Amino acid sequence: MISRVAIVVLMALLGWVYKAIQPPPPMICGSPNGPPVTSPRIQLRDGRFLAYKEWGVPKENARYKLILCHAFDATKDFPLPASQELVEELGIYMVSYDRAGYGESDPNSKRSVKSEALDVEELADNLHLGSKFYVMGASMGGYTAWGCLKYIPHRLAGVALVVPVVNYWWSSFPRELAKEAMKTVVPSERRTLFVAHYAPSLLYAWMTQKWFASAAAASRDPGIFSESDLKVLHRLLSSGSFIENKSRQQGIYESIHRDLRVMFGNWEFDPMNITNPFPQNEGSVHLWQGYHDRLVPVQLQRFLSEKLPWIRYHEVPDGGHMFMFADGFTDRIIKMLLIGEETSAM
C-alpha cells in the first residue's frame, strides 16, 4: 500500500515538474489570439515574418545604410539617439527590426547566432539595401553582430558592437579570468547565466519561480546600473517621451528567455577566432565598452580586443552600460563607424 502511494506521489511530482518547465505556446502576432500587426514586415524563406522600422533619410538618397540590432527586452521602436543634423549631413538610412520572438516578429524555435545573422541578410535583401551594408548591435544585439561577422562577412561595410554581451564560456577566455569576471555580476544574474548555460531546458521554470530572484536584467534590478547609467535613466524618464515596450507581447519564452539561451549556450564558434573581414581596410569593426558597466565586465572586452587586434576598441572611462544614451555619444559611435571620425564628447 505504501509503495503504491509513493508511486502516485512520485508520478504527481514528475507531472508538476514537467508542467513547470514547459513554456506556454507563443501568442503569434496576427493570429486569432495574438497581438495585432501594426508594422511593415517581410516574409523570410522559412515562412516567418520579420517586422521592421525605417529611420533617417529616404533609402534612395542615402549614402550609408545601417541595420540596427536591438538589445535584450527591447524592440525596433526604441530610436537610436542620433542627432538629426548628423543623419542628414551624412545621408544615413537606418532600419531597425524586431529580432525573432520580439515585438511583431515571429518566434524562431531554432533561433541561433547563425539564424540571427541570416535574418539580417534576408532583411537587407528584401529591402534592397545593396551588396554591402553597416550593422550595429547593442548589448544583447551584439551576438547578432558577431553572427554577421562570422556568417555574412562579405555583406558587411562595417560593424559597431556597443557594450556587446559576452559569453563567459567562449573557449578563448582563460578560465580564471572568466571566473573573476563572473564574480562582478549581480548574484541573481549570475545564477540565471548558469541555468541558461548548463540547464537551458529548466530556464523557463527558473525565470518564473517565486522563491529566488532570477535574472536581474529581466526584472530591471537597479543593482545592474552604474551611477552614470542611473543619471542617463533619470534624464530619459524626465524627458517625458514614452514608448510602449512590446518586447514580450508574444510571450516571455520566445523573446527574453530564448535570447538568454542563445547568448549563454554553446556557440558554434568562438568570436575570438574570427578572421578580419576587412584585410584591405575597406571597412572597420568597432567595439565600444563602458569602464563602469555592471552587466558586461570590462576585463573580458579588453582581453577580446587584444585577441582581435583588427577590432578598434573604444573604452569610455566614466561610462556604464547605457553610455550611448548620454549626450553626443551615439553621434561619436556613428561617425567613427561610417567615416572613421569622432565628434567631441558633449
Side-chain angles (χ1 to χ4, degrees), residues 152-175:
I152 58 166
H154 56 290
R155 301 299 305 275
L156 304 175
V159 175
L161 298 113
V162 185
V163 294
V165 177
V166 297
N167 185 318
Y168 297 83
W169 294 273
W170 286 336
S171 59
S172 293
F173 281 142
R175 286 300 88 200

mmCIF file with all atom_site columns, all heavy atoms in Angstrom, residues 152-175:
data_model
loop_
_atom_site.group_PDB
_atom_site.id
_atom_site.type_symbol
_atom_site.label_atom_id
_atom_site.label_alt_id
_atom_site.label_comp_id
_atom_site.label_asym_id
_atom_site.label_entity_id
_atom_site.label_seq_id
_atom_site.pdbx_PDB_ins_code
_atom_site.Cartn_x
_atom_site.Cartn_y
_atom_site.Cartn_z
_atom_site.occupancy
_atom_site.B_iso_or_equiv
_atom_site.pdbx_formal_charge
_atom_site.auth_seq_id
_atom_site.auth_comp_id
_atom_site.auth_asym_id
_atom_site.auth_atom_id
_atom_site.pdbx_PDB_model_num
ATOM 1   N N   . ILE A 1 152 ? 28.221 36.218 -42.524 1.00 0.00 ? 152 ILE A N   1
ATOM 2   C CA  . ILE A 1 152 ? 27.985 37.012 -43.746 1.00 0.00 ? 152 ILE A CA  1
ATOM 3   C C   . ILE A 1 152 ? 29.002 38.158 -43.857 1.00 0.00 ? 152 ILE A C   1
ATOM 4   O O   . ILE A 1 152 ? 28.625 39.297 -44.170 1.00 0.00 ? 152 ILE A O   1
ATOM 5   C CB  . ILE A 1 152 ? 26.543 37.553 -43.803 1.00 0.00 ? 152 ILE A CB  1
ATOM 6   C CG1 . ILE A 1 152 ? 26.220 38.438 -42.570 1.00 0.00 ? 152 ILE A CG1 1
ATOM 7   C CG2 . ILE A 1 152 ? 25.525 36.434 -43.934 1.00 0.00 ? 152 ILE A CG2 1
ATOM 8   C CD1 . ILE A 1 152 ? 24.942 39.262 -42.737 1.00 0.00 ? 152 ILE A CD1 1
ATOM 9   N N   . PRO A 1 153 ? 30.289 37.896 -43.637 1.00 0.00 ? 153 PRO A N   1
ATOM 10  C CA  . PRO A 1 153 ? 31.274 38.988 -43.682 1.00 0.00 ? 153 PRO A CA  1
ATOM 11  C C   . PRO A 1 153 ? 31.336 39.674 -45.031 1.00 0.00 ? 153 PRO A C   1
ATOM 12  O O   . PRO A 1 153 ? 31.653 40.882 -45.110 1.00 0.00 ? 153 PRO A O   1
ATOM 13  C CB  . PRO A 1 153 ? 32.593 38.287 -43.345 1.00 0.00 ? 153 PRO A CB  1
ATOM 14  C CG  . PRO A 1 153 ? 32.373 36.857 -43.732 1.00 0.00 ? 153 PRO A CG  1
ATOM 15  C CD  . PRO A 1 153 ? 30.931 36.582 -43.417 1.00 0.00 ? 153 PRO A CD  1
ATOM 16  N N   . HIS A 1 154 ? 31.024 38.945 -46.112 1.00 0.00 ? 154 HIS A N   1
ATOM 17  C CA  . HIS A 1 154 ? 31.091 39.505 -47.457 1.00 0.00 ? 154 HIS A CA  1
ATOM 18  C C   . HIS A 1 154 ? 30.001 40.550 -47.710 1.00 0.00 ? 154 HIS A C   1
ATOM 19  O O   . HIS A 1 154 ? 30.075 41.289 -48.698 1.00 0.00 ? 154 HIS A O   1
ATOM 20  C CB  . HIS A 1 154 ? 30.952 38.379 -48.489 1.00 0.00 ? 154 HIS A CB  1
ATOM 21  C CG  . HIS A 1 154 ? 29.700 37.561 -48.313 1.00 0.00 ? 154 HIS A CG  1
ATOM 22  N ND1 . HIS A 1 154 ? 29.522 36.703 -47.244 1.00 0.00 ? 154 HIS A ND1 1
ATOM 23  C CD2 . HIS A 1 154 ? 28.568 37.490 -49.058 1.00 0.00 ? 154 HIS A CD2 1
ATOM 24  C CE1 . HIS A 1 154 ? 28.334 36.128 -47.336 1.00 0.00 ? 154 HIS A CE1 1
ATOM 25  N NE2 . HIS A 1 154 ? 27.729 36.589 -48.431 1.00 0.00 ? 154 HIS A NE2 1
ATOM 26  N N   . ARG A 1 155 ? 29.010 40.635 -46.809 1.00 0.00 ? 155 ARG A N   1
ATOM 27  C CA  . ARG A 1 155 ? 27.927 41.600 -46.984 1.00 0.00 ? 155 ARG A CA  1
ATOM 28  C C   . ARG A 1 155 ? 28.133 42.876 -46.160 1.00 0.00 ? 155 ARG A C   1
ATOM 29  O O   . ARG A 1 155 ? 27.334 43.788 -46.236 1.00 0.00 ? 155 ARG A O   1
ATOM 30  C CB  . ARG A 1 155 ? 26.583 40.971 -46.567 1.00 0.00 ? 155 ARG A CB  1
ATOM 31  C CG  . ARG A 1 155 ? 26.184 39.722 -47.312 1.00 0.00 ? 155 ARG A CG  1
ATOM 32  C CD  . ARG A 1 155 ? 26.025 39.960 -48.811 1.00 0.00 ? 155 ARG A CD  1
ATOM 33  N NE  . ARG A 1 155 ? 25.103 41.035 -49.128 1.00 0.00 ? 155 ARG A NE  1
ATOM 34  C CZ  . ARG A 1 155 ? 23.779 40.886 -49.234 1.00 0.00 ? 155 ARG A CZ  1
ATOM 35  N NH1 . ARG A 1 155 ? 23.242 39.697 -49.043 1.00 0.00 ? 155 ARG A NH1 1
ATOM 36  N NH2 . ARG A 1 155 ? 23.014 41.914 -49.562 1.00 0.00 ? 155 ARG A NH2 1
ATOM 37  N N   . LEU A 1 156 ? 29.202 42.905 -45.395 1.00 0.00 ? 156 LEU A N   1
ATOM 38  C CA  . LEU A 1 156 ? 29.368 43.983 -44.425 1.00 0.00 ? 156 LEU A CA  1
ATOM 39  C C   . LEU A 1 156 ? 30.260 45.110 -44.943 1.00 0.00 ? 156 LEU A C   1
ATOM 40  O O   . LEU A 1 156 ? 31.318 44.864 -45.512 1.00 0.00 ? 156 LEU A O   1
ATOM 41  C CB  . LEU A 1 156 ? 29.953 43.429 -43.120 1.00 0.00 ? 156 LEU A CB  1
ATOM 42  C CG  . LEU A 1 156 ? 29.154 42.293 -42.463 1.00 0.00 ? 156 LEU A CG  1
ATOM 43  C CD1 . LEU A 1 156 ? 29.904 41.748 -41.253 1.00 0.00 ? 156 LEU A CD1 1
ATOM 44  C CD2 . LEU A 1 156 ? 27.762 42.782 -42.067 1.00 0.00 ? 156 LEU A CD2 1
ATOM 45  N N   . ALA A 1 157 ? 29.826 46.354 -44.696 1.00 0.00 ? 157 ALA A N   1
ATOM 46  C CA  . ALA A 1 157 ? 30.662 47.521 -44.967 1.00 0.00 ? 157 ALA A CA  1
ATOM 47  C C   . ALA A 1 157 ? 31.363 47.979 -43.698 1.00 0.00 ? 157 ALA A C   1
ATOM 48  O O   . ALA A 1 157 ? 32.387 48.656 -43.752 1.00 0.00 ? 157 ALA A O   1
ATOM 49  C CB  . ALA A 1 157 ? 29.795 48.651 -45.525 1.00 0.00 ? 157 ALA A CB  1
ATOM 50  N N   . GLY A 1 158 ? 30.821 47.601 -42.543 1.00 0.00 ? 158 GLY A N   1
ATOM 51  C CA  . GLY A 1 158 ? 31.397 47.956 -41.256 1.00 0.00 ? 158 GLY A CA  1
ATOM 52  C C   . GLY A 1 158 ? 30.472 47.493 -40.151 1.00 0.00 ? 158 GLY A C   1
ATOM 53  O O   . GLY A 1 158 ? 29.268 47.280 -40.377 1.00 0.00 ? 158 GLY A O   1
ATOM 54  N N   . VAL A 1 159 ? 31.016 47.334 -38.949 1.00 0.00 ? 159 VAL A N   1
ATOM 55  C CA  . VAL A 1 159 ? 30.228 46.829 -37.812 1.00 0.00 ? 159 VAL A CA  1
ATOM 56  C C   . VAL A 1 159 ? 30.603 47.601 -36.559 1.00 0.00 ? 159 VAL A C   1
ATOM 57  O O   . VAL A 1 159 ? 31.781 47.865 -36.303 1.00 0.00 ? 159 VAL A O   1
ATOM 58  C CB  . VAL A 1 159 ? 30.476 45.325 -37.576 1.00 0.00 ? 159 VAL A CB  1
ATOM 59  C CG1 . VAL A 1 159 ? 29.744 44.840 -36.327 1.00 0.00 ? 159 VAL A CG1 1
ATOM 60  C CG2 . VAL A 1 159 ? 30.044 44.504 -38.793 1.00 0.00 ? 159 VAL A CG2 1
ATOM 61  N N   . ALA A 1 160 ? 29.585 47.954 -35.768 1.00 0.00 ? 160 ALA A N   1
ATOM 62  C CA  . ALA A 1 160 ? 29.810 48.537 -34.446 1.00 0.00 ? 160 ALA A CA  1
ATOM 63  C C   . ALA A 1 160 ? 29.160 47.635 -33.408 1.00 0.00 ? 160 ALA A C   1
ATOM 64  O O   . ALA A 1 160 ? 27.960 47.340 -33.506 1.00 0.00 ? 160 ALA A O   1
ATOM 65  C CB  . ALA A 1 160 ? 29.229 49.940 -34.361 1.00 0.00 ? 160 ALA A CB  1
ATOM 66  N N   . LEU A 1 161 ? 29.955 47.181 -32.443 1.00 0.00 ? 161 LEU A N   1
ATOM 67  C CA  . LEU A 1 161 ? 29.435 46.421 -31.309 1.00 0.00 ? 161 LEU A CA  1
ATOM 68  C C   . LEU A 1 161 ? 29.478 47.361 -30.098 1.00 0.00 ? 161 LEU A C   1
ATOM 69  O O   . LEU A 1 161 ? 30.552 47.802 -29.700 1.00 0.00 ? 161 LEU A O   1
ATOM 70  C CB  . LEU A 1 161 ? 30.281 45.178 -31.050 1.00 0.00 ? 161 LEU A CB  1
ATOM 71  C CG  . LEU A 1 161 ? 30.330 44.156 -32.182 1.00 0.00 ? 161 LEU A CG  1
ATOM 72  C CD1 . LEU A 1 161 ? 31.741 44.088 -32.759 1.00 0.00 ? 161 LEU A CD1 1
ATOM 73  C CD2 . LEU A 1 161 ? 29.917 42.779 -31.679 1.00 0.00 ? 161 LEU A CD2 1
ATOM 74  N N   . VAL A 1 162 ? 28.316 47.680 -29.569 1.00 0.00 ? 162 VAL A N   1
ATOM 75  C CA  . VAL A 1 162 ? 28.231 48.643 -28.468 1.00 0.00 ? 162 VAL A CA  1
ATOM 76  C C   . VAL A 1 162 ? 27.845 47.897 -27.194 1.00 0.00 ? 162 VAL A C   1
ATOM 77  O O   . VAL A 1 162 ? 26.782 47.275 -27.130 1.00 0.00 ? 162 VAL A O   1
ATOM 78  C CB  . VAL A 1 162 ? 27.215 49.751 -28.779 1.00 0.00 ? 162 VAL A CB  1
ATOM 79  C CG1 . VAL A 1 162 ? 27.239 50.808 -27.679 1.00 0.00 ? 162 VAL A CG1 1
ATOM 80  C CG2 . VAL A 1 162 ? 27.509 50.390 -30.140 1.00 0.00 ? 162 VAL A CG2 1
ATOM 81  N N   . VAL A 1 163 ? 28.716 47.927 -26.206 1.00 0.00 ? 163 VAL A N   1
ATOM 82  C CA  . VAL A 1 163 ? 28.591 47.147 -24.968 1.00 0.00 ? 163 VAL A CA  1
ATOM 83  C C   . VAL A 1 163 ? 28.043 45.741 -25.247 1.00 0.00 ? 163 VAL A C   1
ATOM 84  O O   . VAL A 1 163 ? 27.067 45.317 -24.623 1.00 0.00 ? 163 VAL A O   1
ATOM 85  C CB  . VAL A 1 163 ? 27.747 47.881 -23.897 1.00 0.00 ? 163 VAL A CB  1
ATOM 86  C CG1 . VAL A 1 163 ? 28.435 49.130 -23.408 1.00 0.00 ? 163 VAL A CG1 1
ATOM 87  C CG2 . VAL A 1 163 ? 26.329 48.239 -24.402 1.00 0.00 ? 163 VAL A CG2 1
ATOM 88  N N   . PRO A 1 164 ? 28.640 45.006 -26.180 1.00 0.00 ? 164 PRO A N   1
ATOM 89  C CA  . PRO A 1 164 ? 28.096 43.690 -26.524 1.00 0.00 ? 164 PRO A CA  1
ATOM 90  C C   . PRO A 1 164 ? 28.237 42.714 -25.359 1.00 0.00 ? 164 PRO A C   1
ATOM 91  O O   . PRO A 1 164 ? 29.279 42.632 -24.713 1.00 0.00 ? 164 PRO A O   1
ATOM 92  C CB  . PRO A 1 164 ? 28.963 43.254 -27.714 1.00 0.00 ? 164 PRO A CB  1
ATOM 93  C CG  . PRO A 1 164 ? 30.265 43.951 -27.496 1.00 0.00 ? 164 PRO A CG  1
ATOM 94  C CD  . PRO A 1 164 ? 29.897 45.288 -26.902 1.00 0.00 ? 164 PRO A CD  1
ATOM 95  N N   . VAL A 1 165 ? 27.167 42.005 -25.067 1.00 0.00 ? 165 VAL A N   1
ATOM 96  C CA  . VAL A 1 165 ? 27.191 40.998 -24.008 1.00 0.00 ? 165 VAL A CA  1
ATOM 97  C C   . VAL A 1 165 ? 28.169 39.891 -24.393 1.00 0.00 ? 165 VAL A C   1
ATOM 98  O O   . VAL A 1 165 ? 28.291 39.531 -25.566 1.00 0.00 ? 165 VAL A O   1
ATOM 99  C CB  . VAL A 1 165 ? 25.772 40.429 -23.784 1.00 0.00 ? 165 VAL A CB  1
ATOM 100 C CG1 . VAL A 1 165 ? 25.777 39.321 -22.739 1.00 0.00 ? 165 VAL A CG1 1
ATOM 101 C CG2 . VAL A 1 165 ? 24.825 41.545 -23.364 1.00 0.00 ? 165 VAL A CG2 1
ATOM 102 N N   . VAL A 1 166 ? 28.887 39.360 -23.398 1.00 0.00 ? 166 VAL A N   1
ATOM 103 C CA  . VAL A 1 166 ? 29.859 38.304 -23.659 1.00 0.00 ? 166 VAL A CA  1
ATOM 104 C C   . VAL A 1 166 ? 29.369 36.978 -23.088 1.00 0.00 ? 166 VAL A C   1
ATOM 105 O O   . VAL A 1 166 ? 28.585 36.954 -22.140 1.00 0.00 ? 166 VAL A O   1
ATOM 106 C CB  . VAL A 1 166 ? 31.246 38.632 -23.057 1.00 0.00 ? 166 VAL A CB  1
ATOM 107 C CG1 . VAL A 1 166 ? 31.843 39.874 -23.684 1.00 0.00 ? 166 VAL A CG1 1
ATOM 108 C CG2 . VAL A 1 166 ? 31.146 38.793 -21.544 1.00 0.00 ? 166 VAL A CG2 1
ATOM 109 N N   . ASN A 1 167 ? 29.825 35.907 -23.686 1.00 0.00 ? 167 ASN A N   1
ATOM 110 C CA  . ASN A 1 167 ? 29.555 34.562 -23.181 1.00 0.00 ? 167 ASN A CA  1
ATOM 111 C C   . ASN A 1 167 ? 30.794 34.113 -22.389 1.00 0.00 ? 167 ASN A C   1
ATOM 112 O O   . ASN A 1 167 ? 31.882 33.989 -22.952 1.00 0.00 ? 167 ASN A O   1
ATOM 113 C CB  . ASN A 1 167 ? 29.282 33.611 -24.347 1.00 0.00 ? 167 ASN A CB  1
ATOM 114 C CG  . ASN A 1 167 ? 28.874 32.225 -23.895 1.00 0.00 ? 167 ASN A CG  1
ATOM 115 O OD1 . ASN A 1 167 ? 29.447 31.661 -22.957 1.00 0.00 ? 167 ASN A OD1 1
ATOM 116 N ND2 . ASN A 1 167 ? 27.902 31.639 -24.566 1.00 0.00 ? 167 ASN A ND2 1
ATOM 117 N N   . TYR A 1 168 ? 30.620 33.890 -21.096 1.00 0.00 ? 168 TYR A N   1
ATOM 118 C CA  . TYR A 1 168 ? 31.747 33.559 -20.217 1.00 0.00 ? 168 TYR A CA  1
ATOM 119 C C   . TYR A 1 168 ? 32.376 32.213 -20.564 1.00 0.00 ? 168 TYR A C   1
ATOM 120 O O   . TYR A 1 168 ? 33.467 31.907 -20.093 1.00 0.00 ? 168 TYR A O   1
ATOM 121 C CB  . TYR A 1 168 ? 31.278 33.552 -18.757 1.00 0.00 ? 168 TYR A CB  1
ATOM 122 C CG  . TYR A 1 168 ? 30.792 34.903 -18.289 1.00 0.00 ? 168 TYR A CG  1
ATOM 123 C CD1 . TYR A 1 168 ? 29.484 35.327 -18.561 1.00 0.00 ? 168 TYR A CD1 1
ATOM 124 C CD2 . TYR A 1 168 ? 31.635 35.776 -17.609 1.00 0.00 ? 168 TYR A CD2 1
ATOM 125 C CE1 . TYR A 1 168 ? 29.035 36.576 -18.157 1.00 0.00 ? 168 TYR A CE1 1
ATOM 126 C CE2 . TYR A 1 168 ? 31.198 37.024 -17.188 1.00 0.00 ? 168 TYR A CE2 1
ATOM 127 C CZ  . TYR A 1 168 ? 29.897 37.419 -17.475 1.00 0.00 ? 168 TYR A CZ  1
ATOM 128 O OH  . TYR A 1 168 ? 29.470 38.653 -17.074 1.00 0.00 ? 168 TYR A OH  1
ATOM 129 N N   . TRP A 1 169 ? 31.672 31.429 -21.388 1.00 0.00 ? 169 TRP A N   1
ATOM 130 C CA  . TRP A 1 169 ? 32.170 30.096 -21.727 1.00 0.00 ? 169 TRP A CA  1
ATOM 131 C C   . TRP A 1 169 ? 32.811 30.028 -23.112 1.00 0.00 ? 169 TRP A C   1
ATOM 132 O O   . TRP A 1 169 ? 33.098 28.938 -23.606 1.00 0.00 ? 169 TRP A O   1
ATOM 133 C CB  . TRP A 1 169 ? 31.025 29.095 -21.622 1.00 0.00 ? 169 TRP A CB  1
ATOM 134 C CG  . TRP A 1 169 ? 30.556 28.950 -20.203 1.00 0.00 ? 169 TRP A CG  1
ATOM 135 C CD1 . TRP A 1 169 ? 31.056 28.095 -19.262 1.00 0.00 ? 169 TRP A CD1 1
ATOM 136 C CD2 . TRP A 1 169 ? 29.512 29.702 -19.549 1.00 0.00 ? 169 TRP A CD2 1
ATOM 137 N NE1 . TRP A 1 169 ? 30.396 28.259 -18.067 1.00 0.00 ? 169 TRP A NE1 1
ATOM 138 C CE2 . TRP A 1 169 ? 29.442 29.241 -18.205 1.00 0.00 ? 169 TRP A CE2 1
ATOM 139 C CE3 . TRP A 1 169 ? 28.639 30.703 -19.946 1.00 0.00 ? 169 TRP A CE3 1
ATOM 140 C CZ2 . TRP A 1 169 ? 28.527 29.745 -17.280 1.00 0.00 ? 169 TRP A CZ2 1
ATOM 141 C CZ3 . TRP A 1 169 ? 27.733 31.214 -19.027 1.00 0.00 ? 169 TRP A CZ3 1
ATOM 142 C CH2 . TRP A 1 169 ? 27.687 30.739 -17.722 1.00 0.00 ? 169 TRP A CH2 1
ATOM 143 N N   . TRP A 1 170 ? 33.041 31.182 -23.760 1.00 0.00 ? 170 TRP A N   1
ATOM 144 C CA  . TRP A 1 170 ? 33.808 31.148 -25.003 1.00 0.00 ? 170 TRP A CA  1
ATOM 145 C C   . TRP A 1 170 ? 35.179 30.551 -24.688 1.00 0.00 ? 170 TRP A C   1
ATOM 146 O O   . TRP A 1 170 ? 35.845 30.938 -23.701 1.00 0.00 ? 170 TRP A O   1
ATOM 147 C CB  . TRP A 1 170 ? 33.956 32.556 -25.570 1.00 0.00 ? 170 TRP A CB  1
ATOM 148 C CG  . TRP A 1 170 ? 32.695 33.088 -26.197 1.00 0.00 ? 170 TRP A CG  1
ATOM 149 C CD1 . TRP A 1 170 ? 31.659 32.372 -26.708 1.00 0.00 ? 170 TRP A CD1 1
ATOM 150 C CD2 . TRP A 1 170 ? 32.359 34.470 -26.399 1.00 0.00 ? 170 TRP A CD2 1
ATOM 151 N NE1 . TRP A 1 170 ? 30.687 33.215 -27.202 1.00 0.00 ? 170 TRP A NE1 1
ATOM 152 C CE2 . TRP A 1 170 ? 31.085 34.503 -27.030 1.00 0.00 ? 170 TRP A CE2 1
ATOM 153 C CE3 . TRP A 1 170 ? 33.003 35.673 -26.111 1.00 0.00 ? 170 TRP A CE3 1
ATOM 154 C CZ2 . TRP A 1 170 ? 30.451 35.689 -27.375 1.00 0.00 ? 170 TRP A CZ2 1
ATOM 155 C CZ3 . TRP A 1 170 ? 32.375 36.872 -26.454 1.00 0.00 ? 170 TRP A CZ3 1
ATOM 156 C CH2 . TRP A 1 170 ? 31.114 36.882 -27.087 1.00 0.00 ? 170 TRP A CH2 1
ATOM 157 N N   . SER A 1 171 ? 35.602 29.640 -25.525 1.00 0.00 ? 171 SER A N   1
ATOM 158 C CA  . SER A 1 171 ? 36.779 28.823 -25.201 1.00 0.00 ? 171 SER A CA  1
ATOM 159 C C   . SER A 1 171 ? 38.075 29.618 -25.103 1.00 0.00 ? 171 SER A C   1
ATOM 160 O O   . SER A 1 171 ? 39.011 29.200 -24.407 1.00 0.00 ? 171 SER A O   1
ATOM 161 C CB  . SER A 1 171 ? 36.939 27.708 -26.248 1.00 0.00 ? 171 SER A CB  1
ATOM 162 O OG  . SER A 1 171 ? 37.080 28.261 -27.551 1.00 0.00 ? 171 SER A OG  1
ATOM 163 N N   . SER A 1 172 ? 38.155 30.759 -25.757 1.00 0.00 ? 172 SER A N   1
ATOM 164 C CA  . SER A 1 172 ? 39.412 31.531 -25.731 1.00 0.00 ? 172 SER A CA  1
ATOM 165 C C   . SER A 1 172 ? 39.623 32.288 -24.423 1.00 0.00 ? 172 SER A C   1
ATOM 166 O O   . SER A 1 172 ? 40.743 32.708 -24.126 1.00 0.00 ? 172 SER A O   1
ATOM 167 C CB  . SER A 1 172 ? 39.467 32.508 -26.909 1.00 0.00 ? 172 SER A CB  1
ATOM 168 O OG  . SER A 1 172 ? 39.560 31.813 -28.130 1.00 0.00 ? 172 SER A OG  1
ATOM 169 N N   . PHE A 1 173 ? 38.556 32.489 -23.661 1.00 0.00 ? 173 PHE A N   1
ATOM 170 C CA  . PHE A 1 173 ? 38.733 33.167 -22.382 1.00 0.00 ? 173 PHE A CA  1
ATOM 171 C C   . PHE A 1 173 ? 39.468 32.253 -21.405 1.00 0.00 ? 173 PHE A C   1
ATOM 172 O O   . PHE A 1 173 ? 39.046 31.109 -21.198 1.00 0.00 ? 173 PHE A O   1
ATOM 173 C CB  . PHE A 1 173 ? 37.377 33.534 -21.764 1.00 0.00 ? 173 PHE A CB  1
ATOM 174 C CG  . PHE A 1 173 ? 36.718 34.747 -22.343 1.00 0.00 ? 173 PHE A CG  1
ATOM 175 C CD1 . PHE A 1 173 ? 35.341 34.783 -22.521 1.00 0.00 ? 173 PHE A CD1 1
ATOM 176 C CD2 . PHE A 1 173 ? 37.453 35.872 -22.689 1.00 0.00 ? 173 PHE A CD2 1
ATOM 177 C CE1 . PHE A 1 173 ? 34.712 35.902 -23.047 1.00 0.00 ? 173 PHE A CE1 1
ATOM 178 C CE2 . PHE A 1 173 ? 36.835 37.002 -23.218 1.00 0.00 ? 173 PHE A CE2 1
ATOM 179 C CZ  . PHE A 1 173 ? 35.470 37.009 -23.399 1.00 0.00 ? 173 PHE A CZ  1
ATOM 180 N N   . PRO A 1 174 ? 40.543 32.706 -20.783 1.00 0.00 ? 174 PRO A N   1
ATOM 181 C CA  . PRO A 1 174 ? 41.164 31.908 -19.708 1.00 0.00 ? 174 PRO A CA  1
ATOM 182 C C   . PRO A 1 174 ? 40.139 31.689 -18.601 1.00 0.00 ? 174 PRO A C   1
ATOM 183 O O   . PRO A 1 174 ? 39.410 32.603 -18.216 1.00 0.00 ? 174 PRO A O   1
ATOM 184 C CB  . PRO A 1 174 ? 42.319 32.806 -19.232 1.00 0.00 ? 174 PRO A CB  1
ATOM 185 C CG  . PRO A 1 174 ? 42.587 33.734 -20.375 1.00 0.00 ? 174 PRO A CG  1
ATOM 186 C CD  . PRO A 1 174 ? 41.266 33.969 -21.034 1.00 0.00 ? 174 PRO A CD  1
ATOM 187 N N   . ARG A 1 175 ? 40.070 30.455 -18.099 1.00 0.00 ? 175 ARG A N   1
ATOM 188 C CA  . ARG A 1 175 ? 39.054 30.110 -17.100 1.00 0.00 ? 175 ARG A CA  1
ATOM 189 C C   . ARG A 1 175 ? 39.093 31.028 -15.890 1.00 0.00 ? 175 ARG A C   1
ATOM 190 O O   . ARG A 1 175 ? 38.064 31.445 -15.360 1.00 0.00 ? 175 ARG A O   1
ATOM 191 C CB  . ARG A 1 175 ? 39.208 28.655 -16.659 1.00 0.00 ? 175 ARG A CB  1
ATOM 192 C CG  . ARG A 1 175 ? 38.743 27.620 -17.656 1.00 0.00 ? 175 ARG A CG  1
ATOM 193 C CD  . ARG A 1 175 ? 37.259 27.745 -18.019 1.00 0.00 ? 175 ARG A CD  1
ATOM 194 N NE  . ARG A 1 175 ? 37.021 28.674 -19.148 1.00 0.00 ? 175 ARG A NE  1
ATOM 195 C CZ  . ARG A 1 175 ? 35.862 29.254 -19.409 1.00 0.00 ? 175 ARG A CZ  1
ATOM 196 N NH1 . ARG A 1 175 ? 34.823 29.046 -18.645 1.00 0.00 ? 175 ARG A NH1 1
ATOM 197 N NH2 . ARG A 1 175 ? 35.727 30.081 -20.433 1.00 0.00 ? 175 ARG A NH2 1
#
